[in-house]
């Protein structure tokens, strides 16, 4: 039986999309855009890639954590927004689920929970199997009805707030859909860190992270944010290549669809750049299977070849342009 107050699992969700602006934001402009809490500046850094993060916001909850499991949780979800490379926008919501701090398991005053932002106490007790049941229930891609923890609603609210800011011109250089990564992390003492990554319908992804030390549990969210960015980049490039097949039917040219992806996305591929050092080994697993970077470089090569072929074809179709060239 877990000790009172001991972390059990971490649950989170990351939504990733293209920032709706015609130009990439500078680091300073990104920080200003993410100034969502007056008087509390966010974090930012310039290398190896521009990165800005808003201050944390707390969202109070009192609900079942997963369906079909006796799992009433009370506490706060931590949520924040990020901008990577001045181009990619993320909203992240997460919490560490802990055994109740009080042995009675009774709900305490909100001041207690507000002092522990990003922690949810499991008031229904912590059995030997509760961690696995929470993970399985949360990672299910079937949306449950009723008052069950809904991190999608929490992360979407912040994403919409930043996405609709009047300082953005709402004219992105390419049209790509957002993705949603639902993740859970569990602690198996002494185990080697590992991740199980899955693709599902409706652009939903899941990640089950296993770590060997409870000390690394708070750091899993940064790894999952990094994972979500790179999964979105790979998905976006694949979508652009597929869209180019139908460009002419919509009155566009293949090169006009393909070129913006090269210009605005190709340089953002930096796996593990924002992953905490103890968890970078998780990227080694994804590089072996399914081979994230191998897929990326193959797709970028395909994209460049398609742009070159489409450009040559366009020149051959227009003798006047060929003479100017």
């Amino acid at each position: 039986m877990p000790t009172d107050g001991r972390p059990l699992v971490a649950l989170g969700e990351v939504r990733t999309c293209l920032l709706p602006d015609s130009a990439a934001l500078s680091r300073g402009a990104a920080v200003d855009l993410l100034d969502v809490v007056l008087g509390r500046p966010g974090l930012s850094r310039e290398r190896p890639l521009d990165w800005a993060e808003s201050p944390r916001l707390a969202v109070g909850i009192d609900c079942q954590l997963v369906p079909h499991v006796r799992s009433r949780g009370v506490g706060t979800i931590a949520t924040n927004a990020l901008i990577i490379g001045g181009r990619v926008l993320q909203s992240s919501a997460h919490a560490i689920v802990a055994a109740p701090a009080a042995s009675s398991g009774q709900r305490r005053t909100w001041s207690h929970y507000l002092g522990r932002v990003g922690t949810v106490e499991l008031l229904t007790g912590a059995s030997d199997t509760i961690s696995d049941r929470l993970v399985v229930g949360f990672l299910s891609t079937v949306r449950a009805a009723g008052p069950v923890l809904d991190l999608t609603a929490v992360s979407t609210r912040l994403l919409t707030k930043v996405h609709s800011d009047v300082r953005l011109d709402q004219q992105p250089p390419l049209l790509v859909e957002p993705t949603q990564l639902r993740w859970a992390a569990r602690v198996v003492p002494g185990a080697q860190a590992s991740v199980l990554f899955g693709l599902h319908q409706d652009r939903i992804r899941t990640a089950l992270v296993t770590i060997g030390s409870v000390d690394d549990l708070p750091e899993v969210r940064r790894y999952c944010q990094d994972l979500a960015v790179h999964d979105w980049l790979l998905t976006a490039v694949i979508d652009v290549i597929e869209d180019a097949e139908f460009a002419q039917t919509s009155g566009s040219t293949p090169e006009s669809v393909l070129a913006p992806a090269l210009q605005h996305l190709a340089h953002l591929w930096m796996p593990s750049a924002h992953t905490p050092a103890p968890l970078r080994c998780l990227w080694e697993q994804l590089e072996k299977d399914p081979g994230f970077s191998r897929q990326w470089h193959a797709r970028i090569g395909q994209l460049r070849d398609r742009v070159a072929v489409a450009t040559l074809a366009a020149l051959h179709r227009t003798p006047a342009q060929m003479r100017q060239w």
Side-chain angles (χ1 to χ4, degrees):
M1 183 77 67
T3 306
D4 285 354
R6 182 169 179 79
L8 302 173
V9 297
L11 308 175
E13 181 170 308
V14 186
R15 297 181 68 84
T16 309
C17 67
L18 185 68
L19 194 71
D21 201 79
S22 55
L25 297 188
S26 66
R27 183 162 60 103
V31 170
D32 290 342
L33 186 66
L34 297 180
D35 186 13
V36 295
V37 181
L38 186 64
R40 286 176 54 195
L43 303 174
S44 69
R45 66 183 185 188
E46 184 176 359
R47 297 181 181 180
L49 191 68
D50 280 356
W51 173 91
E53 181 182 58
S54 75
R56 288 194 308 172
L57 299 174
V59 178
I61 65 162
D62 181 350
C63 62
Q64 292 291 112
L65 299 183
V66 297
H68 314 305
V69 177
R70 188 169 173 265
S71 55
R72 182 189 174 192
V74 182
T76 57
I77 302 299
T79 179
N80 58 3
L82 303 94
I83 295 176
I84 301 94
R87 274 296 177 199
V88 183
L89 171 63
Q90 287 187 317
S91 65
S92 176
H94 65 277
I96 291 177
V97 180
S103 58
S104 63
Q106 297 296 313
R107 175 173 169 169
R108 305 176 70 172
T109 62
W110 273 114
S111 60
H112 166 75
Y113 301 111
L114 290 174
R116 307 174 70 205
V117 176
T119 298
V120 172
E121 292 183 4
L122 189 65
L123 297 192
T124 50
S127 67
D128 292 336
T129 63
I130 191 64
S131 295
D132 290 339
R133 297 173 73 190
L134 288 174
V135 166
V136 171
F138 181 74
L139 292 182
S140 171
T141 57
V142 178
R143 193 180 183 91
V148 177
L149 177 64
D150 187 356
L151 292 189
T152 299
V154 176
S155 57
T156 299
R157 189 180 307 126
L158 181 57
L159 187 75
T160 301
K161 176 181 175 64
V162 179
H163 196 276
S164 59
D165 194 287
V166 295
R167 288 169 288 185
L168 300 173
D169 63 23
Q170 303 300 322
Q171 297 181 10
L174 63 163
L175 298 177
V176 287
E177 296 184 17
T179 57
Q180 173 185 350
L181 172 67
R182 189 177 301 168
W183 62 268
R186 62 186 178 183
V187 180
V188 177
Q192 184 177 0
S194 63
V195 59
L196 293 175
F197 179 71
L199 302 179
H200 308 273
Q201 294 181 342
D202 300 323
R203 294 179 177 269
I204 296 175
R205 286 81 168 95
T206 57
L208 170 57
V209 180
T210 301
I211 54 177
S213 171
V214 71
D215 295 336
D216 293 331
L217 200 58
E219 303 296 339
V220 175
R221 71 176 182 92
R222 289 210 180 277
Y223 163 73
C224 290
Q225 290 164 356
D226 203 10
L227 172 59
V229 168
H230 289 84
D231 169 70
W232 178 85
L233 285 169
L234 183 56
T235 303
V237 167
I238 293 172
D239 286 350
V240 167
I241 293 173
E242 292 178 350
D243 290 344
E245 297 287 346
F246 306 98
Q248 291 181 339
T249 61
S250 61
S252 303
T253 60
E255 61 270 25
S256 68
V257 176
L258 296 166
L262 281 177
Q263 179 182 352
H264 299 285
L265 301 182
H267 65 288
L268 299 180
W269 188 262
M270 293 186 184
S272 81
H274 302 297
T275 296
L279 299 180
R280 287 176 188 159
C281 60
L282 295 175
W283 276 107
E284 297 176 7
Q285 298 176 35
L286 292 178
E287 295 293 14
K288 293 178 181 178
D289 184 15
F292 262 45
S293 290
R294 184 167 63 249
Q295 294 179 57
W296 172 259
H297 294 308
R299 289 296 186 174
I300 288 295
Q302 181 185 7
L303 200 157
R304 289 195 173 105
D305 291 343
R306 291 287 301 277
V307 170
V309 170
T311 301
L312 288 173
L315 291 174
H316 283 299
R317 287 195 303 268
T318 54
Q321 290 184 9
M322 178 64 80
R323 287 195 295 271
Q324 293 175 1
W325 179 264

